[in-house]
Amino acid sequence: MTVHTQPRVAVDAEFSMIIDGRPVTTPTTAPVFNPATKQVIAQVPVASQQNLDDAVAAAGAAFATWSTTPLENRQAAVAAIGDRLEAHAEEFLNLLTAEQGKPRAMAEWEVYGSIAWFREVAKQSLPEEILLDDTERRVISRNTPLGVVGAIVPWNFPILLAVWKIAPALVAGNTMIVKPSPFTPLCDLKLVEIVQDLLPPGVLSVVSGDDELGKWITSHPAIAKIAFTGSTETGKHVMRSAADTLKRLTLELGGNDPAIVLPDVNPAKVAPQIFWAAFQNNAQFCNAAKRIYIHDDIYDAVRDELVKYAETVVVGNGADEATQLGPVQNAQQYDKVSEYFADSLANGYRFAIGGHIDRTREGWFVPVTIVDNPPENSRLVVEEPFGPILPILRWSDEADVIARANDTVWGLGATVWGEDLEAIERIGRQLDAGTVWLNEVHQYSPHQVFGGHKQSGLGAENSLHGLAEYTNHQTITLNKQKGSVS
């Protein structure tokens, strides 16, 4: 495993919140760090409750007009946001690497994926459905916008997971207030800033702050819906906070995704695919494969090929063009991941590769680590480390491995790998997860529904199902009989 740490990326922009179409600063600011260097790269506003109230009032006023704006005009505006992001792509690529830590290839995946999402969601609509239309009565089912929506965005994919919320909310006729993660607010602040001329004031605002801001948003009586991506534990707090006003919720939460590897795979060919299924974005990915079940017949061979491949992967500062994996994004997550290393060492688990964190390094770097067949009840297997430490486990009985894969409170994603297509589909259909990939992984689409089972979330994102999450259902009936009311 090669390690690089240079060069640094400079950030020289000013960052403001956007409320009612105008930049807003605050007396109190918070630092933003480059995780590869631990250096402060920017200061951002910390919103007061009054700032939030102002944003909500502006969004509420804008809703009256935006919700009645013709659909094609709203779609055109959302598509134009995608064009604007593309025009500023290089700026966002550098900014994303600086604040999040991801290398160029992953930054491109996120930025250009976000552009595609804006453009594709802009093509979506929910036409009225005529349920009955005869000489006596007409019955129509339609979707109407909710009002002001609060979007709470995580730090692992700060642009893309904001877009997953912004695009459908605006197309559906809602107005939106975005709250970025305090660890990665820069891209979201800039994105909302550069598109203000494409939207009426108040339609899309952004407020930055700490955990208090999140509590204010989730409990605000004039916010109709919360779209949240983050941990399951935080999602439960969001749900409790939203309960008093019966807010609509879309919760995309944690995962402990299993991968099942059948005995007929070619170990050398499958190892790179499994590696990136687990370690893409440095495993800071709700849909990372977090438990790899490898058949006994090929366990040693696949393990050895995984180690061989891992040794070729370059870990370092994302600003270095050779880097393939960056640092852990923040100190809090670094400490959490470190706990799994300490627990594995304390319990005498065997490391196939990695296992030692070099705390003298400049940034929050954690080595790619594979733990060789730890107990099924170990913390590493049962919990979600959300960092580059991966358990691989043996299996021999199909029914048993399916039961083990499903034995979790989560159900976000899963993968199955094998040459026998009938077998992988048979196994895949028995896995309790919102997305099951067979011989592929991390394939998403604006037209493909995404959501979790069990404690991996509520509701859906993407596709027409995701668009409908930003609407109410309304039935309109008409009695056509003249004289029925006179």
Side-chain angles (χ1 to χ4, degrees), residues 70-373:
L71 171 64
E72 57 270 24
N73 292 4
R74 300 197 303 260
Q75 291 173 320
V78 169
I81 295 174
D83 294 342
R84 182 65 55 81
L85 177 57
E86 184 176 46
H88 290 262
E90 193 63 33
E91 173 188 349
F92 279 91
L93 289 168
N94 291 329
L95 196 56
L96 182 57
T97 293
E99 69 168 336
Q100 205 283 331
K102 61 186 63 182
R104 176 77 181 204
M106 275 304 301
E108 289 180 348
W109 187 86
E110 180 167 353
V111 170
Y112 286 99
S114 298
I115 294 165
W117 244 262
F118 275 125
R119 290 171 174 166
E120 289 303 307
V121 174
K123 301 173 184 177
Q124 296 178 351
S125 64
L126 298 166
E128 292 186 353
E129 183 181 2
I130 300 174
L131 305 177
L132 175 67
D133 193 6
D134 59 21
T135 57
E136 296 182 356
R137 297 181 67 243
R138 190 178 191 210
V139 181
I140 295 173
S141 175
R142 68 179 193 138
N143 297 82
T144 61
L146 298 169
V148 180
V149 176
I152 301 178
V153 182
W155 50 259
N156 57 338
F157 294 96
I159 306 175
L160 185 61
L161 294 180
V163 175
W164 281 22
K165 298 161 181 55
I166 295 168
L170 299 192
V171 167
N174 302 282
T175 55
M176 175 164 274
I177 298 166
V178 177
K179 178 200 172 294
S181 165
F183 298 116
T184 55
L186 304 184
C187 285
D188 290 336
L189 289 169
K190 275 296 168 187
L191 176 61
V192 175
E193 175 190 319
I194 67 170
V195 303
Q196 286 304 303
D197 63 311
L198 304 175
L199 300 163
V203 169
L204 180 62
S205 297
V206 59
V207 289
S208 51
D210 51 23
D211 290 343
E212 285 300 303
L213 177 59
K215 295 173 186 175
W216 298 336
I217 289 176
T218 55
S219 62
H220 201 290
I223 293 179
K225 174 186 171 72
I226 299 294
F228 170 84
T229 301
S231 71
T232 294
E233 193 58 38
T234 305
K236 292 176 181 178
H237 289 298
V238 170
M239 196 170 185
R240 292 186 194 104
S241 184
D244 283 346
T245 52
L246 288 180
K247 286 178 173 47
R248 307 298 193 271
L249 291 173
T250 299
L251 303 177
E252 197 272 278
L253 307 179
N256 192 359
D257 293 13
I260 298 175
V261 184
L262 274 57
D264 58 356
V265 301
N266 180 321
K269 289 184 177 179
V270 80
Q273 298 177 77
I274 293 173
F275 180 91
W276 290 113
F279 291 105
Q280 186 180 9
N281 205 42
N282 212 17
Q284 299 169 125
F285 201 159
C286 57
N287 259 153
K290 298 186 176 78
R291 299 171 287 148
I292 313 297
Y293 294 96
I294 305 169
H295 194 277
D296 252 336
D297 291 352
I298 55 161
Y299 180 90
D300 290 348
V302 172
R303 178 198 60 207
D304 294 347
E305 289 292 342
L306 278 169
V307 170
K308 182 179 176 182
Y309 184 80
E311 289 172 339
T312 71
V313 174
V314 178
V315 178
N317 190 322
D320 188 324
E321 64 181 14
T323 294
Q324 294 169 277
L325 289 177
V328 170
Q329 199 284 319
N330 58 77
Q332 179 179 311
Q333 189 61 29
Y334 179 83
D335 290 342
K336 178 186 174 184
V337 174
S338 297
E339 291 178 12
Y340 293 93
F341 280 75
D343 182 75
S344 297
L345 286 165
N347 284 284
Y349 303 153
R350 179 178 180 274
F351 295 101
I353 188 173
H356 172 69
I357 299 176
D358 180 1
R359 297 185 181 277
T360 66
R361 292 200 63 187
E362 184 179 36
W364 290 301
F365 287 98
V366 174
V368 169
T369 296
I370 298 173
V371 181
D372 189 351
N373 202 37

